[in-house]
Amino acid sequence: MPYVDLVSSDDYASIWYTTNAPCCTVSGFDPEKPTLVMLHPLFLDSSWLHPQLDDPRLNSNFNIITFDQRSTGKSLYRPTGKHDLWVTAAELAHCFHHLRLPPAHIFAPELYSFTALRFAALFPELTLSLTLCNVSPQTELKSLFEAFEELAHLWCYAEDLESFETACKELINCYAQDAHPDLVDELVAFWEVHYPPFRRTSVITNVNLVLNRTPMTPDELASIRCPVLIIQAERSPTHPMEYAQQLRQSLINVPNGAQLFNVKATHGYLSLLSSSIVNQVLNKFLTRQPPSRSDLDPSPIPLADRMRMALAQLAEWREDASIADHDPLSPLSFSCVTDEVRKSQDELYAIYQDGLQAAFSPLAPDGRPLRKYSERKDEHWLESNADGFSYTNVKQFQDRISEQNRDKRRPGRRPAGGGGGGGHAASAGLGQDSLLFQPSEPVTQELQQVARIRRATVLPNSTTDKHVIKGSMAKVIASGAGTSLQRRLLR
């Protein structure tokens, strides 16, 4: 099986990987082609990189390998409160060593862009180039931070299918608001199978990674010296363009400066929903790089020695000499979380682990989703549409956007008047601000600490009424235990 086992005195993880080689292993790599390492989108796994793996522009020119992060997909891991983005970068370096991977190009979307940046800073000899797709702010935006907190509780403690689908809808609003209904069905089905309420410990592990992340320092960003390409959506409310521009300016030692390519899109899952343009830009960027081979030679430096060098560099950046004395064979030695954060994440994991066996399952007995997301009843007044409003039925929404009512003024939109030009309709969607996530500043470490205390102290109580039969009804059922329900009701 294509797993990389990372075993140390204080940690265990088994990282799943797959390749575009005939047997899905690195032994089938073509030594004449360069290697491309791809990280998957947030809250998904490596199976959602199929738009890149199936693209002949990439599949025919590169040896591609994808990894599931420790808390996603088919990877296995031991729970730990030390998990952060530095640990994910160290795990990727361990995978490079054990698989004897050559220096490679790195492709990383959304949050995992900072995993790739940390990897390039600590292991520059293994990084040929970086392609960052829709980078997030270094710390989460305040509006999204608060939304993720509420979403985690709603998702993990849903007690019926409608509640769980509502949570999925909120996550879709964050990352795939304008996705095709068929793709939305696939996303919700994936989350129902891999992240249902009875597996909420994996959910809270990923949420902690998002909410508790810390920014990289200017010195750490300045140590990156490989070519960098940033592909960013122009109008994404969850991944604003201004933070991609700030990151580009911070990479001061990148040869010829970091390149920034704008995509006319608003969604968060850019590598999935705009895969054609992303693949085209990625292929053109990589073909301009110097040629490289994929010889699977052992590393000239033993793993322990190379990791000890990386720990010493990290200790210098973090101004903490104790980091250099950590176990070099453990990825957790690279963790930069404070004791308060580690304790909070351990406590939160224990809270969410309680009652797992009694948690709701959105799956049928055969392990498949009970229904498609598009098959739900979509006439509920709590269901929000793309414009931020709720409607009692579909017909009313269709009438609202019909031809005769299209020019009427509505909140947040200008009427389509004359002189707008042919591109007005195409640009209206990009120019309109999101009603779901208003522009906000990234959260501070003080707000992160307050939120951690709130999540660990406010226990998730059930909001569903428990129907208990008391009194005479209990006697009726007890006395008629041998009688059918229909006959008892007809008495």
Side-chain angles (χ1 to χ4, degrees):
M1 297 297 288
Y3 282 97
V4 180
D5 293 329
L6 308 180
V7 183
S8 60
S9 58
D10 60 345
D11 184 37
Y12 169 77
S14 186
I15 307 299
W16 166 272
Y17 75 93
T18 187
T19 72
N20 64 338
C23 296
C24 298
T25 59
V26 296
S27 59
F29 276 2
D30 183 354
E32 299 296 331
K33 298 179 181 179
T35 298
L36 174 60
V37 176
M38 309 196 79
L39 306 183
H40 57 75
L42 185 63
F43 301 121
L44 299 176
D45 63 10
S46 58
S47 64
W48 290 90
L49 289 169
H50 61 84
Q52 286 73 41
L53 291 170
D54 296 340
D55 193 317
R57 292 171 293 188
L58 300 176
N59 187 35
S60 60
N61 295 327
F62 301 94
N63 298 311
I64 303 177
I65 181 171
T66 66
F67 294 95
D68 282 344
Q69 299 300 318
R70 67 153 51 201
S71 57
T72 62
K74 298 180 181 179
S75 294
L76 307 174
Y77 70 104
R78 180 186 298 171
T80 174
K82 296 182 178 181
H83 187 213
D84 67 354
L85 292 174
W86 288 106
V87 173
T88 60
E91 289 173 343
L92 184 59
H94 277 260
C95 292
F96 264 74
H97 177 85
H98 292 296
L99 296 176
R100 297 184 177 182
L101 292 179
H105 304 283
I106 311 294
F107 174 85
E110 296 110 39
L111 177 67
Y112 295 115
S113 296
F114 294 103
T115 295
L117 289 169
R118 286 165 166 81
F119 178 83
L122 288 174
F123 307 97
E125 75 279 3
L126 298 178
T127 310
L128 296 178
S129 71
L130 290 179
T131 302
L132 313 178
C133 185
N134 234 20
V135 296
S136 307
Q138 293 240 42
T139 57
E140 196 56 81
L141 299 176
K142 186 177 180 180
S143 58
L144 274 177
F145 187 90
E146 297 171 350
F148 270 131
E149 279 194 301
E150 298 178 3
L151 177 60
H153 185 277
L154 176 62
W155 187 297
C156 296
Y157 290 92
E159 297 196 352
D160 53 67
L161 185 58
E162 287 72 19
S163 299
F164 186 79
E165 288 179 341
T166 300
C168 293
K169 173 65 175 177
E170 296 303 321
L171 189 56
I172 288 172
N173 288 338
C174 293
Y175 289 94
Q177 185 176 354
D178 51 354
H180 190 276
D182 291 343
L183 181 59
V184 172
D185 285 340
E186 294 180 14
L187 285 169
V188 174
F190 174 84
W191 291 328
E192 288 177 341
V193 172
H194 291 84
Y195 298 116
F198 64 85
R199 292 176 180 167
R200 55 179 174 240
T201 50
S202 296
V203 177
I204 198 60
T205 300
N206 289 307
V207 170
N208 282 336
L209 188 65
V210 173
L211 300 185
N212 293 332
R213 68 179 186 264
T214 55
M216 296 180 68
T217 64
D219 290 341
E220 294 164 357
L221 293 173
S223 65
I224 298 174
R225 301 179 181 275
C226 64
V228 177
L229 169 65
I230 302 175
I231 307 175
Q232 195 76 7
E234 278 192 356
R235 299 289 183 180
S236 174
T238 57
H239 302 77
M241 174 64 70
E242 60 180 300
Y243 297 102
Q245 295 172 346
Q246 292 178 8
L247 177 61
R248 179 189 181 187
Q249 296 173 0
S250 300
L251 299 172
I252 58 177
N253 289 324
V254 170
N256 300 321
Q259 303 179 35
L260 179 60
F261 184 87
N262 303 339
V263 179
K264 293 185 181 298
T266 60
H267 34 254
Y269 285 146
L270 193 64
S271 62
L272 186 62
L273 301 179
S274 299
S275 57
S276 179
I277 185 64
V278 169
N279 295 350
Q280 178 184 0
V281 175
L282 172 63
N283 180 62
K284 290 182 177 179
F285 172 72
L286 295 182
T287 53
R288 291 197 300 266
Q289 306 306 318
S292 60
R293 293 178 54 84
S294 295
D295 298 312
L296 305 181
D297 297 327
S299 174
I301 305 176
L303 177 63
D305 295 342
R306 183 61 187 89
M307 292 299 166
R308 194 174 288 110
M309 295 167 56
L311 285 172
Q313 179 64 71
L314 184 60
E316 179 181 349
W317 286 334
R318 293 291 162 169
E319 298 180 353
D320 184 359
S322 63
I323 296 179
D325 298 329
H326 293 174
D327 181 10
L329 297 179
S330 173
L332 294 184
S333 299
F334 290 80
S335 175
C336 292
V337 300
T338 62
D339 291 338
E340 180 266 332
V341 175
R342 178 192 57 77
K343 182 179 179 181
S344 173
Q345 294 189 155
D346 284 334
E347 291 178 351
L348 199 60
Y349 186 93
I351 291 174
Y352 276 67
Q353 191 177 29
D354 187 28
L356 276 183
Q357 296 181 350
F360 168 72
S361 173
L363 306 176
D366 60 355
R368 296 181 178 182
L370 292 170
R371 68 184 182 194
K372 291 184 178 180
Y373 177 75
S374 58
E375 295 174 352
R376 76 201 188 287
K377 293 182 179 180
D378 54 357
E379 298 181 359
H380 198 283
W381 67 276
L382 289 176
E383 180 75 15
S384 62
N385 288 283
D387 61 356
F389 294 95
S390 299
Y391 303 93
T392 56
N393 55 63
V394 177
K395 185 177 182 301
Q396 181 178 354
F397 176 67
Q398 292 174 344
D399 292 342
R400 186 179 178 92
I401 62 174
S402 60
E403 286 291 340
Q404 58 270 26
N405 296 329
R406 184 170 296 175
D407 291 341
K408 291 185 178 180
R409 188 178 296 274
R410 69 180 69 173
R413 175 174 296 185
R414 294 182 178 179
H424 176 75
S427 62
L430 291 176
Q432 184 180 2
D433 291 336
S434 172
L435 297 175
L436 299 174
F437 304 104
Q438 295 299 326
S440 60
E441 295 294 325
V443 296
T444 61
Q445 294 186 2
E446 290 76 12
L447 290 177
Q448 287 180 331
Q449 182 178 8
V450 172
R452 283 192 295 269
I453 296 174
R454 179 171 60 248
R455 292 197 299 270
T457 55
V458 180
L459 298 180
N461 297 323
S462 174
T463 58
T464 303
D465 294 335
K466 304 298 183 181
H467 301 285
V468 180
I469 299 176
K470 299 181 180 179
S472 59
M473 191 62 183
K475 296 179 181 179
V476 170
I477 294 179
S479 61
T483 310
S484 65
L485 178 60
Q486 293 82 356
R487 179 168 296 183
R488 273 183 267 153
L489 294 176
L490 293 175
R491 284 182 178 179

